[in-house]
Amino acid sequence: MSERPRLTVLSGPSGVGKSTVVAHMRKAHPEVWLSVSCTTRKPRPGEKNGVQYHFVDDDQFDKLIANGELLEWATFAGNRYGTPRLEVLRRLESGEPVLLEIDLQGARQVRESMPEAQLVFLAPPSWEELVRRLTGRGTESPEVIEERLTTARVELAAESEFDTTLVNTSVEDVAAELLALMRVV
Ligand code: 5GP
């Protein structure tokens, strides 16, 4: 296996805790660069433009696609999300490990365009736990939650397409395992 830093993609169902794992990991290792995606979703309370996401409108997202500026993009629960290509390539070329936290459709696109990428599936400890997390966030409408559960069922079945599975039993353990996979520690 190559020791050269490479692209790592963390994916899995919505609500499984991807962003919590990533936040925990970056607190200990701020040098791990996480791509900031563009999205047409409206900011949630506390989210800042350019930090969690670049918040754009539909026209701006159309232009990003048309100009080939996205490494991958997908529609998730009615909003579009995409990874800006240039910054990812620039970081990889300079030898930095790069992490994407994206949905399954995006992970599949990355596997096609960058087969050397390492695809990591974050699985919930159980289906019941995933439902609890998805319904407990309290920021989305019942329709959005139902849509996310439907998507999550499909996404769980995709585990076998990934190089590695990490089960999210403890944020600390999973963050450490992810760092090891990225050869950061
Ligand atoms: P949320 O709206 O909860 O922040 O994110 C919803 C879903 O979109 C999550 O599963 C998240 O991983 C995914 N996501 C975030 N950014 C991107 C991206 O750039 N591309 C793709 N394909 N999915 C993304």
Side-chain angles (χ1 to χ4, degrees), residues 7 9-11 35-39 53 61 64-65 68-76 80-86 88-89 99-114 119:
L7 183 60
V9 177
L10 182 67
S11 194
S35 168
V36 179
S37 299
C38 298
T39 184
Y53 287 104
F61 205 96
L64 291 170
I65 298 170
E69 290 181 51
L70 299 179
L71 180 63
E72 59 73 35
W73 68 272
T75 300
F76 184 94
R80 290 185 289 175
Y81 299 80
T83 304
R85 181 197 304 275
L86 259 185
V88 168
L89 297 184
L99 181 63
L100 306 186
E101 187 238 285
I102 60 176
D103 88 321
L104 175 63
Q105 307 162 72
R108 287 190 176 119
Q109 291 171 47
V110 173
R111 191 185 50 192
E112 289 299 312
S113 60
M114 301 178 80
L119 300 194

Side-chain angles (χ1 to χ4, degrees), residues 1-9 88-99 113-118 178-185:
M1 190 185 286
S2 162
E3 291 302 312
R4 193 162 50 89
R6 58 177 178 161
L7 183 60
T8 301
V9 177
V88 168
L89 297 184
R90 202 179 67 72
R91 302 265 175 171
L92 284 174
E93 267 160 30
S94 72
E96 292 178 54
V98 167
L99 181 63
S113 60
M114 301 178 80
E116 71 281 12
Q118 157 166 251
L178 189 58
L179 283 164
L181 286 172
M182 294 182 76
R183 305 276 191 272
V184 173
V185 289

Side-chain angles (χ1 to χ4, degrees), residues 13-18 20 122-137 145 149 152 156 167-171:
S14 173
V16 76
K18 297 190 291 281
T20 310
L122 188 63
S126 66
W127 171 253
E128 288 69 28
E129 177 62 17
L130 182 61
V131 172
R132 200 184 63 73
R133 290 184 195 184
L134 280 171
T135 52
R137 189 148 62 186
I145 287 173
L149 286 177
L156 279 176
V167 179
N168 194 8
T169 43
S170 124
V171 173

Side-chain angles (χ1 to χ4, degrees), residues 147-165:
E147 203 175 333
R148 287 187 167 200
L149 286 177
T150 304
T151 304
R153 276 186 207 98
V154 174
E155 288 187 329
L156 279 176
E159 184 186 334
S160 62
E161 297 173 34
F162 283 70
D163 299 313
T164 312
T165 294

